[in-house]
Each structure stands twice: as C-alpha cells, then as structure tokens.
Amino acid sequence: MSFFSDSLIKKETFWFEQLPLSCYQARGIVVNGRRIKSLVFTTDLAIIRNCDADAVFAVYPFTPQSAISHALINGSYIPVFCGCGGTTKGLRTLSLAQDAEGQSAMGIVLNAPISDLNLLAVTKVVDIPVIITVVSEETDIAARLASGASILNVAAGPGTAALVRKIRRDFPEVPIIASGGNTEESIQATIATGANAITFTPPSTAELFKSMMARYRES
C-alpha cells in the first residue's frame, strides 16, 4: 500500500504520513492512560509532525544527548519514547534517563548490550516505563523482567515474528513492542504471534522528495 496519500484541499496538495492500517489491529499497550498501538521509528521532526502514529520511538545509533530528546519531545505532538543507552552504558545512562523523564518522555528505551545490573539501575531512578530491546532468542527474558524492564522491544530482523511467538508462549502477559517490517502481511504476522504494538520505519524525507520532484517535473 502507499505509505503517503495526497488530498487536494483549496488547490494545494497536503501530504500526510499514514502508517499501514494493519498496525491498528494490535491490542496496544496502555501507558499513562493512553493506548499505544503504533510507534514511528524516526528522529526526523518533520516526519513526526506529519505522522498519524500513536507515539515516537526515538532511538538512534549515536551517543544519546539530552539536547536531542529535548528537541524531539518539545516538537512532537505525540508521546516520545527516548533511547538512553545500549552502546552507551553505566552512570551516563542513569543521568540521560532522568533528563528524558524530566523532559516528559513517555518511556526510556535501552538497547540489547545493556547489562541486567545497568537496566536495574535505570529502573530505580525513573518512574516511567523502561523498555529493553531483545534481538535474539538467547536473551534471558526472565532476568530482564526481574531487572525491572516494563516492556520488551523485539527487533530480530526477519526472525522477529518467531521470537515474539516464543516470548509470548513463555511470558503470556508481558507487553511486547515489535518491528513489523514494511508490508501489511509482515505486520499482521507479527501481531498474530503476540506483539501488542508495532514500530514502523517511514521513508526518509529524501525519498519523499524524490517522488514529489518527479511529479513536479512531469507537470
């Protein structure tokens, strides 16, 4: 399906970011009274401001910075889950998590390399949910939950649906966010195996401009 749709309103074309409808077949995860079914995986504020997702999954492959989380939270009209550690470890993850909570983040995201002890320390300094990323079936899920993780984020590439199924079999009540791929079929399959919410990676602004400029040239 087309990720973006255009509507002619008052002789101007407006572009709206539209997540696949299959995302909304998920049961969702209730956080602070809000049911989250879809999360847009981006730190592009222009995408975030034109997005119909329920929340933002703001994780990026650099050292987390409070300035970045502050800009995203202030600029977003939907809740933001902030990445605060993974490659970055130790005391810095605690201060980053506290800063994000003070900036009104809805949750803290920690990536797979974080130790159980580091995870536990983060959960002790914040009152908002802490999400731990799971990338392999070798992960000790029981230890992650015992260390205070509130939500699991399953990101196992093509094996995501199978890993969700395994976790759901062993832990029927744990809230699970999972990457759904980029097709309706893959998203539906991930939800069917037990994911409560779906992260979706949108096209970049460069990709969008490419198709838009092609249309402009044709006209």
Side-chain angles (χ1 to χ4, degrees):
M1 65 173 289
S2 174
F3 183 70
F4 279 73
S5 59
D6 58 318
S7 302
L8 194 63
I9 305 175
K10 296 182 179 179
K11 298 184 179 180
E12 294 183 9
T13 301
F14 292 80
W15 291 81
F16 299 92
E17 186 175 352
Q18 195 172 40
L19 270 67
L21 295 178
S22 52
C23 291
Y24 297 97
Q25 296 175 11
R27 292 170 52 196
I29 299 170
V30 177
V31 182
N32 294 335
R34 298 186 64 143
R35 187 172 295 276
I36 306 297
K37 296 185 176 185
S38 63
L39 301 97
V40 62
F41 180 25
T42 184
T43 53
D44 188 324
L45 194 52
I47 295 289
I48 292 169
R49 292 289 301 182
N50 292 277
C51 177
D52 69 350
D54 296 323
V56 179
F57 205 72
V59 179
Y60 47 92
F62 310 108
T63 300
Q65 298 182 37
S66 293
I68 296 175
S69 59
H70 180 73
L72 293 173
I73 292 168
N74 278 5
S76 174
Y77 69 95
I78 53 178
V80 179
F81 291 83
C82 292
C84 292
T87 303
T88 300
K89 302 180 180 69
L91 291 176
R92 181 172 174 81
T93 62
L94 276 63
S95 61
L96 287 166
Q98 287 180 310
D99 285 346
E101 181 181 38
Q103 294 163 0
S104 299
M106 179 167 269
I108 302 301
V109 183
L110 298 176
N111 215 332
I114 286 288
S115 68
D116 291 333
L117 182 60
N118 202 160
L119 167 60
L120 179 61
V122 171
T123 66
K124 295 297 185 182
V125 300
V126 297
D127 289 326
I128 55 179
V130 177
I131 301 167
I132 186 67
T133 301
V134 179
V135 298
S136 166
E137 63 179 26
E138 301 302 319
T139 302
D140 187 341
I141 302 298
R144 291 308 209 186
L145 297 177
S147 299
S150 304
I151 302 170
L152 303 179
N153 169 48
V154 181
T160 295
L163 183 52
V164 169
R165 181 184 294 107
K166 181 180 184 299
I167 294 172
R168 180 58 71 216
R169 183 180 65 245
D170 299 334
F171 302 91
E173 302 300 324
V174 64
I176 297 175
I177 298 171
S179 52
N182 57 7
T183 68
E184 294 278 5
E185 292 73 21
S186 62
I187 292 169
Q188 290 170 354
T190 304
I191 293 172
T193 58
N196 300 98
I198 295 292
T199 58
F200 188 83
T201 304
S204 68
T205 49
E207 291 170 319
L208 295 173
F209 261 123
K210 182 178 180 180
S211 61
M212 291 174 67
M213 293 305 291
R215 289 178 49 182
Y216 293 161
R217 295 184 191 102
E218 291 173 358
S219 61

